[in-house]
Amino acid sequence: MIKAIAIFDIDGVIRDVSGSYRRALADTVEHFTNLAYRPTSLEIDQLKSEGTWNNDWEASQELIYRYFQTQGQSREQLQLEYQTIVAFFQSRYRGTDPENWNGYICDEPLLLQPSYLEQLTQGAIAWGFFSGATRGSATYVLENRLGLKSPVLVAMEDAPGKPDPTGLFATLNLLENTIDNNALIVYIGDTVADMYTVEKARSLKPDRRWIGVGVLPPHVQETAVRRDAYTQTLLTAGAAVVLNNVQELTPAQIEELSKRSPESMF
């Protein structure tokens, strides 16, 4: 019998995107501000802590707008072309060859091993992925890099952006088509938007048991001060626990989390 369902975000959880997505974001903002402004890693975190900028294309556009507003220009004056921003971002992230990607994505360090997912399966825990990454990017890491065979995946093209929980529900439905039970649902993510997604899922489907687990992305673990601050941000956003690496979420810990009452967790 399946004991729980683990649904994973991808960026910052399955792969380290500090040198890829986040680098492409900074490149994009720098390019469209005419090399006048390149956001720091901390500034990107501060934007994402608002809980509504999970999409890095939209986050890039927002930082460009905010920079020019500090220079006295209104959003209406700028008339930024969103698709032009997306195209530049993708030229850095995916690269210049649409068939054989040669961009930053090729060098993303993995944050878990396939053996970890096998451990979950052996522990009677079903698993899948719900990510704001494009399906192409998500499939690249899951199938090409991790070697998974047609994993359950809901990506950017399949659902509204987080913190809307529609994609989380869709992932759950795909998994429950095969297991059909009322197991504990754990969503594992690295951002405020991920934790807000769990909160919204709980409010819309209170008959289910939802737990948000935070994972610290590698770039915030460089100093204790930043690690602690980011940990507190995720806890405040609703995380039941915050881990340094996703593989710390063992079947035993999931079982321990399932024993907590809603009152003690939230």
Side-chain angles (χ1 to χ4, degrees):
M1 182 178 115
I2 295 297
K3 296 178 181 177
I5 299 168
I7 301 175
F8 299 90
D9 180 33
I10 292 177
D11 301 333
V13 176
I14 305 300
R15 61 181 171 192
D16 180 1
V17 296
S18 56
S20 56
Y21 263 124
R22 295 171 67 90
R23 183 180 175 190
L25 191 162
D27 286 356
T28 302
V29 175
E30 185 175 48
H31 176 78
F32 286 95
T33 58
N34 304 312
L35 308 184
Y37 170 56
R38 183 179 182 87
T40 65
S41 178
L42 184 58
E43 287 171 328
I44 294 170
D45 281 344
Q46 288 170 339
L47 179 74
K48 287 181 174 288
S49 72
E50 295 176 14
T52 55
W53 304 108
N54 192 66
N55 181 317
D56 284 336
W57 300 336
E58 294 176 356
S60 299
Q61 179 178 253
E62 181 64 17
L63 286 173
I64 295 165
Y65 273 133
R66 292 188 187 187
Y67 166 76
F68 281 111
Q69 283 181 305
T70 68
Q71 306 303 304
Q73 296 187 52
S74 70
R75 294 177 182 239
E76 292 71 28
Q77 287 176 298
L78 292 174
Q79 297 183 327
L80 294 175
E81 289 290 339
Y82 180 67
Q83 291 305 323
T84 304
I85 292 172
V86 172
F88 181 86
F89 185 108
Q90 293 295 76
S91 74
R92 296 303 177 95
Y93 181 66
R94 290 188 176 185
T96 54
D97 187 336
E99 299 301 323
N100 300 292
W101 293 353
N102 57 6
Y104 300 154
I105 189 174
C106 300
D107 301 317
E108 293 171 332
L110 297 176
L111 299 175
L112 63 68
Q113 298 301 316
S115 57
Y116 167 71
L117 298 171
E118 293 169 10
Q119 180 185 2
L120 294 184
T121 300
Q122 292 168 3
I125 297 166
W127 48 269
F129 303 90
F130 166 44
S131 171
T134 64
R135 177 162 285 274
S137 170
T139 299
Y140 181 88
V141 67
L142 297 179
E143 297 188 5
N144 294 23
R145 298 286 309 282
L146 284 171
L148 304 179
K149 305 300 182 185
S150 301
V152 168
L153 167 66
V154 172
M156 176 192 286
E157 298 90 336
D158 307 318
K162 293 177 275 190
D164 187 312
T166 301
L168 187 59
F169 296 151
T171 313
L172 179 63
N173 288 339
L174 289 171
L175 290 166
E176 288 196 322
N177 280 341
T178 59
I179 60 178
D180 189 25
N181 71 71
N182 197 36
L184 172 75
I185 306 153
V186 184
Y187 186 51
I188 305 100
D190 70 316
T191 67
V192 167
D194 293 326
M195 298 305 106
Y196 285 175
T197 300
V198 177
E199 296 293 313
K200 293 194 176 225
R202 184 180 298 112
S203 68
L204 290 172
K205 294 185 182 291
D207 55 314
R208 302 300 302 263
R209 290 191 299 153
W210 304 90
I211 291 179
V213 170
V215 174
L216 296 176
H219 73 272
V220 306
Q221 299 190 49
E222 294 169 0
T223 68
V225 171
R226 195 166 177 193
R227 181 184 66 240
D228 293 347
Y230 202 94
T231 297
Q232 190 55 55
T233 295
L234 291 178
L235 290 171
T236 300
V241 64
V242 177
L243 308 174
N244 293 320
N245 178 271
V246 63
Q247 295 179 133
E248 296 174 14
L249 186 66
T250 61
Q253 181 162 29
I254 291 175
E255 185 170 354
E256 184 62 32
L257 287 171
S258 73
K259 295 176 182 176
R260 299 194 195 180
S261 67
E263 292 76 15
S264 66
M265 285 194 299
F266 307 107

